[in-house]
Amino acid sequence: MKLLHLSDLHIGKRVNEFSMLEDQRYILKELEDLAVREQVDGVLLAGDLYDKPVPPTEAVSLLDGFLTALARKKIPVFAISGNHDSPERLSFGTRLMAGEGIHLSAVYQGAEEPEILWDEHGPVYLYLLPYLKPARLRHVYPEAEVTTYEQAVEWAIRKWNVDPAQRNVLVAHQFVVGGTTCESEELSVGGLDQVSAEVFQPFDYVALGHLHGPQTIGRETLRYCGTPLKYSFSESRHQKSACLVELGEKGAVSVRTVPLHPLRDVRELRGSYEQVTARSFYEGTNTEDYLHIILTDEEDVPEAMGRLRSIYPNLMKLTYDNLRTRTSQEILGAEKPEEKSPLELFRDFYQLQNNQPMSPGQETLLTGLMEEIWEGEP
C-alpha cells in the first residue's frame, strides 16, 4: 500500500503581498504527476487546504481542479480541514465528492467510521481527524470533561476503539509537542494547542499537518510533511518535499521523501548594494525568485527597493545589517516582549503590579480565560 502524504497547501496565500496562486498551480501539477508516476493508492491531505476561511474564487477553482484531476485518474483522496479552513464551507458537497473518491472530513462529528483501503495484506484503516478544539469536542460529547487540546484529541481517538492488530493510519492537523515552528504558521497563544505524541500510539502512521517544516516527532512514522512551497523567509533553507508512505504487513512501514521543485524559490541574498547589483553576482541564478535582500552598506541606499527590483522583480523584503541596525537590536534585545507568549507577559505584569508571582491556581484560571478569548469558546 502506497500513500502520498501532503498538507498545508494554503491555496490563495499571499506572502508579503505577493499572490502565490501561480506558484501553487505549478506545484499542484507537480504533485499530481508524482501521484500518477508513483501509482499511489491514495493521497492524504492533512489540513489547511486554503489559507483563509473565505478563500478567493481563484483559490477555490485551483483546489477544485487539483481534486478533479486526481479523481479522473482514479486516485482516492482522504482530506481533513485545518485551522485556516472554514469547516462548514469546506464540507459543502462532501457526500457527492465521496462518490468520486474524494473523502473529506471537514467538521468533526464524533467517531465516524474509518475509510478502508485493501491490498494483498488485507485492510488499511484510514482515520480522518479534522482540526479539533476542546469546545468542538464538548459540542459533540457534552459529557466530556475536557479543557485542553490534548484531552480533546485523546478523547476523540479513544472513541474510535482502534484495533491495534490492524494497520491503522491517522490524518490529523494538530501541534504535537516537540515540533519546530516557522514564521508562516498560526499557533495558539501560550502553547495552548499542544498535544503530546503519546496520544497517537495506536496508529502505524500519523500524517500530520499544521507545522510547515518537514519533520518527525519521536518516531519516523509520526510525521509532518511540511508545506509544498516556502511561505516565509524562515523557511528559505528548507528542502520542500512530499512523503511517500509504504505499508507492508502489520508493523512494516517505510517513508520516502521526494524533493519538490517550485516555479520560484524563496531565498535570502546578503551583501553591499554594489555586490548584489554586480552582473557576476546574479548571473546564473534565477532572478525571478522571491527574495529577501540584506544590504550591509553603512548608509541607506536611496530608492534601493525600486532600483533592486529592476534586477530582481520579485524582491519581497529589503533590510540592512550594519552598525546602526545591530546597535538598535542590542538595545531592544534586552526585553524582546514580542518573543514572549501572552501568558508570560501577563506573569510579568502581575509580578510588577503585586510584587509576587502568580499562584498555580491563578495560572490555571488565566489559561482557561485565554482559551475562551482566543479560541472562540462560548
Side-chain angles (χ1 to χ4, degrees):
M1 178 76 61
K2 186 185 290 187
L3 302 171
L4 177 60
H5 172 196
L6 308 172
S7 79
D8 296 272
L9 304 180
H10 285 278
I11 299 177
K13 189 173 184 65
R14 299 181 70 85
V15 180
N16 291 87
E17 301 308 315
F18 282 70
S19 170
M20 303 298 288
L21 275 171
E22 184 182 7
D23 304 82
Q24 290 170 333
R25 183 175 292 106
Y26 183 92
I27 208 69
L28 288 178
K29 184 62 171 70
E30 186 173 329
L31 292 169
E32 176 196 332
D33 293 343
L34 173 63
V36 172
R37 186 170 67 250
E38 291 287 342
Q39 298 181 311
V40 300
D41 298 292
V43 173
L44 312 179
L45 279 176
D48 280 356
L49 309 186
Y50 294 119
D51 189 58
K52 300 292 183 186
V54 184
T57 55
E58 298 88 350
V60 175
S61 176
L62 184 53
L63 179 61
D64 176 68
F66 178 58
L67 296 178
T68 299
L70 293 174
R72 286 175 176 168
K73 293 176 171 62
K74 306 301 180 184
I75 299 174
V77 176
F78 305 91
I80 61 171
S81 61
N83 60 301
H84 278 251
D85 299 310
S86 168
E88 291 75 19
R89 285 186 174 87
L90 203 57
S91 65
F92 176 78
T94 51
R95 287 188 288 271
L96 285 173
M97 289 192 288
E100 298 298 321
I102 308 299
H103 307 276
L104 177 58
S105 180
V107 180
Y108 180 72
Q109 304 284 9
E112 296 181 350
E113 290 298 311
E115 304 292 342
I116 305 175
L117 292 176
W118 295 81
D119 65 6
E120 66 272 20
H121 300 291
V124 171
Y125 294 88
L126 295 167
Y127 294 85
L128 305 180
L129 182 64
Y131 181 65
L132 186 59
K133 298 179 181 181
R136 182 62 197 174
L137 191 284
R138 292 196 299 268
H139 177 78
V140 178
Y141 299 108
E143 74 278 12
E145 296 182 358
V146 301
T147 58
T148 68
Y149 281 71
E150 181 168 330
Q151 290 170 344
V153 172
E154 193 171 23
W155 181 287
I157 292 173
R158 190 165 58 245
K159 279 291 183 180
W160 270 318
N161 293 315
V162 179
D163 183 356
Q166 300 294 336
R167 294 179 296 168
N168 303 300
V169 173
L170 174 67
V171 185
H173 191 94
Q174 305 290 157
F175 181 15
V176 181
V177 176
T180 303
T181 61
C182 302
E183 290 177 0
S184 57
E185 295 154 1
E186 184 178 293
L187 304 174
S188 291
V189 295
L192 295 175
D193 58 350
Q194 294 190 9
V195 176
S196 69
E198 286 72 22
V199 303
F200 302 111
Q201 197 60 41
F203 301 98
D204 297 84
Y205 184 80
V206 182
L208 291 168
H210 196 29
L211 300 187
H212 291 183
Q215 58 195 287
T216 59
I217 309 291
R219 56 183 167 108
E220 286 296 309
T221 53
L222 182 63
R223 181 181 291 265
Y224 289 100
C225 63
T227 54
L229 293 172
K230 300 174 184 179
Y231 289 135
S232 72
F233 289 106
S234 66
E235 303 167 55
S236 62
R237 289 186 172 84
H238 288 184
Q239 171 58 68
K240 296 299 184 180
S241 59
C243 291
L244 284 168
V245 185
E246 295 194 54
L247 294 93
E249 59 187 12
K250 175 67 178 180
V253 183
S254 62
V255 184
R256 176 163 54 96
T257 58
V258 179
L260 298 175
H261 306 285
L263 179 63
R264 305 175 185 89
D265 200 358
V266 173
R267 298 188 289 126
E268 291 186 323
L269 298 180
R270 180 187 181 86
S272 68
Y273 179 81
E274 183 178 355
Q275 287 173 323
V276 300
T277 55
R279 185 178 297 274
S280 59
F281 185 89
Y282 60 80
E283 270 189 342
T285 68
N286 186 358
T287 56
E288 298 289 324
D289 285 344
Y290 297 116
L291 296 177
H292 170 204
I293 294 181
I294 306 164
L295 292 180
T296 56
D297 302 84
E298 288 300 328
E299 299 293 333
D300 289 2
V301 178
E303 301 179 2
M305 180 69 86
R307 293 162 69 182
L308 286 168
R309 277 183 174 161
S310 66
I311 302 172
Y312 307 104
N314 293 315
L315 172 60
M316 286 183 168
K317 185 178 180 181
L318 176 65
T319 59
Y320 285 84
D321 181 13
N322 52 32
L323 180 60
R324 173 178 56 81
T325 59
R326 286 193 295 273
T327 302
S328 175
Q329 288 166 3
E330 287 171 6
I331 294 171
L332 294 173
E335 292 297 328
K336 291 190 176 179
E338 71 277 5
E339 294 184 2
K340 293 187 176 184
S341 70
L343 181 59
E344 290 170 326
L345 290 171
F346 197 92
R347 280 197 198 112
D348 294 345
F349 176 74
Y350 186 91
Q351 175 83 35
L352 184 65
Q353 290 290 320
N354 298 279
N355 294 315
Q356 63 180 4
M358 295 173 63
S359 69
Q362 288 171 322
E363 289 204 11
T364 300
L365 175 62
L366 180 60
T367 299
L369 290 172
M370 284 182 171
E371 181 178 304
E372 289 181 15
I373 294 168
W374 273 285
E375 297 306 323
E377 300 234 351

